[in-house]
Amino acid sequence: MLQDLQAQGSLVAPSQDVTGTIARKGRALHEDRRMAAKRAFTTRRVDLDLATRLRSDVRPRAGDLVLARVAQLGQHQKLESPHGRRAQLYVGDEIIVAYGERYAPDQFEAVVPQDLSACDLVAGGGVAGLVLSRHAKMRSATRIEPVGLLADDDGKVLNLGWFGLPRLTLPPVLPPVVAVVGTSMNAGKTTAAAGLIHGLSRAGLNVAASKVTGTGSGGDLWTMLDAGARSVLDFTDHGHTSTAGLTLDRIESVALSLVAHSAASNPDIIVIEVADGLLQRETGALLKCGRLREALHGVLFAAGDAMGAVAGHDWLVRAGHRVLGVSGLLSASPLAVREAEAALGWPVLSLADLRDPLTAPKICFAGDAKSCLA
């Protein structure tokens, strides 16, 4: 699986000046130490054979790779590997992760620190950051102590951006592209996307899937793959630890390029997931982007309750989107379903509806929930 993902694009050469005018700075990183460190999912495209030195004299940037030591265990006590296995962490373990921001209302808000002082493991997929706030249900973040930034023979710090897929523009003709969006984190977006992918696959359709925004982690990709998607990609394939804090131009470019890469595999349909909720800055801005809206055939909306379903539906319509249906966490509650259906005037889609090989194609091609359940 990992080899298949890596084969979908060539590596991008590092820029001529990544950390300034430098030459062979930093102390040597022995191969045994590099190989013994637990490597995170976010680093899966990186050629670690290039990491021969450690630097501690430069300010980290989003995407920079760091060798860090686990100082104190907290919320994330396991690290997701490039292959999806969650490796148990122990105090004293050395790990290879990447710096990045995080925006997760149900977990952590974090930024890239200004130096290599102790910081936090803010996502199990391997994101190092400095926590600004956390949800009350969260334990304190696992504390890590950077040993040094990974660098090549010339002292240039390795960054995920070196190894990203080439940036593509949309082809003249696209298969239908369906976006799954939601009210918030944990509204049921990934479950809805996987359900739809499964139903489409059972109908004999070749489905390509992509998660275009979010925080680096493989869980959603593996879920889409297990549901039947023939190819899966996400923003980490474009060299980003997360999309939090990126400019709208960059987020738009990444999302459209991922759609273009998905289209290159000649699928019958493309399903993309947009992380977080409509009120999150990057998500809201991306969904108001004209080029993405024009590329989409329609939107499947996931909500946690009836009020969110109605408000989100209205938000999407005002933004010019074609709403194919409403589903998500609310579909687990018969009362919430009845409330939403009464306000919307059409059926809420259950997980069984999404997984059904007769209903799933209708959801995507018929145009609205009324006709797909008729």
Side-chain angles (χ1 to χ4, degrees), residues 38-44 79-82 96-98 124-127:
K38 292 176 178 175
R39 177 179 181 177
F41 169 84
T42 52
T43 72
R44 73 191 190 284
L79 186 70
E80 185 183 11
S81 78
I96 297 175
V97 295
V127 182

Side-chain angles (χ1 to χ4, degrees), residues 218-232:
D220 292 349
L221 292 190
W222 312 133
T223 298
M224 292 175 176
L225 188 70
D226 291 343
R230 301 283 184 89
S231 67
V232 292

Side-chain angles (χ1 to χ4, degrees), residues 27 29 32-43 48 51 53-54 64-74 76-82 85-99 116 118-129 141-150:
R27 62 190 187 280
L29 172 62
D32 289 346
R33 186 176 192 182
R34 184 187 70 211
M35 296 298 292
K38 292 176 178 175
R39 177 179 181 177
F41 169 84
T42 52
T43 72
L48 285 184
R53 312 193 72 77
L54 288 172
D64 284 350
L65 270 70
V66 60
L67 177 70
R69 185 178 297 110
V70 176
Q72 182 177 354
L73 291 174
H76 293 102
Q77 302 195 12
K78 294 184 178 181
L79 186 70
E80 185 183 11
S81 78
R85 191 176 78 82
R86 293 170 59 80
Q88 181 67 51
L89 293 176
Y90 296 90
V91 172
D93 277 354
E94 290 191 338
I95 59 176
I96 297 175
V97 295
Y99 281 104
L116 294 183
C119 61
D120 306 294
L121 181 65
V122 299
V127 182
T142 290
R143 199 70 173 161
I144 58 176
E145 297 173 342
V147 178
L149 298 175
L150 301 188

Side-chain angles (χ1 to χ4, degrees), residues 9 46 48 101 151 158 169-170 198 203 232 256 272 288 292 312 320 348:
V46 175
L48 285 184
E101 294 192 16
L158 271 63
T169 57
L170 293 178
H198 188 60
V232 292
L256 294 175
I272 68 172
K288 291 178 180 177
L292 178 66
V348 168

Side-chain angles (χ1 to χ4, degrees), residues 39-362:
R39 177 179 181 177
F41 169 84
T42 52
T43 72
R44 73 191 190 284
R45 296 185 64 88
V46 175
D47 181 3
L48 285 184
D49 288 341
L50 297 176
T52 59
R53 312 193 72 77
L54 288 172
R55 295 199 63 188
S56 56
D57 59 335
V58 291
R59 177 175 175 173
R61 303 175 309 151
D64 284 350
L65 270 70
V66 60
L67 177 70
R69 185 178 297 110
V70 176
Q72 182 177 354
L73 291 174
Q75 178 63 33
H76 293 102
Q77 302 195 12
K78 294 184 178 181
L79 186 70
E80 185 183 11
S81 78
H83 303 282
R85 191 176 78 82
R86 293 170 59 80
Q88 181 67 51
L89 293 176
Y90 296 90
V91 172
D93 277 354
E94 290 191 338
I95 59 176
I96 297 175
V97 295
Y99 281 104
E101 294 192 16
R102 185 160 199 204
Y103 182 105
D106 286 359
Q107 288 203 22
F108 296 108
E109 176 192 12
V111 296
V112 177
Q114 297 185 2
D115 55 35
L116 294 183
S117 299
C119 61
D120 306 294
L121 181 65
V122 299
V127 182
L130 186 64
V131 169
L132 301 180
S133 68
R134 61 185 169 96
H135 192 282
K137 72 178 181 180
M138 289 290 108
R139 300 176 60 182
S140 296
T142 290
R143 199 70 173 161
I144 58 176
E145 297 173 342
V147 178
L149 298 175
L150 301 188
D152 63 12
D153 284 340
D154 295 323
K156 294 182 178 180
V157 176
L158 271 63
N159 188 282
L160 298 188
W162 291 16
F163 306 93
L165 292 169
R167 200 63 53 86
L168 297 183
T169 57
L170 293 178
V173 179
L174 278 173
V177 181
V178 174
V180 181
V181 304
T183 53
S184 64
M185 183 180 182
N186 295 328
K189 296 184 296 295
T190 301
T191 301
L196 185 61
I197 290 167
H198 188 60
L200 294 169
S201 298
R202 290 178 64 198
L205 297 173
N206 180 341
V207 185
S210 179
K211 185 169 182 180
V212 298
T213 65
T215 301
S217 175
D220 292 349
L221 292 190
W222 312 133
T223 298
M224 292 175 176
L225 188 70
D226 291 343
R230 301 283 184 89
S231 67
V232 292
L233 294 168
D234 77 350
F235 50 89
T236 63
D237 288 300
H238 256 312
H240 295 288
T241 318
S242 77
T243 52
L246 295 184
T247 65
L248 174 58
D249 287 346
R250 178 60 64 86
I251 292 173
E252 179 186 31
S253 175
V254 167
L256 294 175
S257 182
L258 286 171
V259 171
H261 277 285
S262 295
S265 63
N266 295 316
D268 297 311
I269 189 168
I270 298 171
V271 176
I272 68 172
E273 180 185 345
V274 182
D276 299 307
L278 299 180
L279 298 184
Q280 197 265 357
R281 183 180 72 90
E282 288 85 9
T283 298
L286 179 62
L287 289 171
K288 291 178 180 177
C289 162
R291 287 197 295 163
L292 178 66
R293 184 174 59 244
E294 291 170 4
L296 295 180
H297 176 71
V299 173
L300 175 65
F301 187 64
D305 57 34
M307 180 62 78
V310 175
H313 170 271
D314 291 348
W315 189 100
L316 289 166
V317 170
R318 289 195 303 272
H321 289 284
R322 180 188 192 188
V323 181
L324 302 176
V326 171
S327 188
L329 189 60
L330 77 92
S331 66
S333 168
L335 284 175
V337 167
R338 291 206 298 269
E339 288 179 354
E341 289 180 341
L344 291 168
W346 36 281
V348 168
L349 298 165
S350 68
L351 188 56
D353 293 328
L354 299 177
R355 290 175 173 171
D356 186 89
L358 297 178
T359 304
K362 291 181 181 179

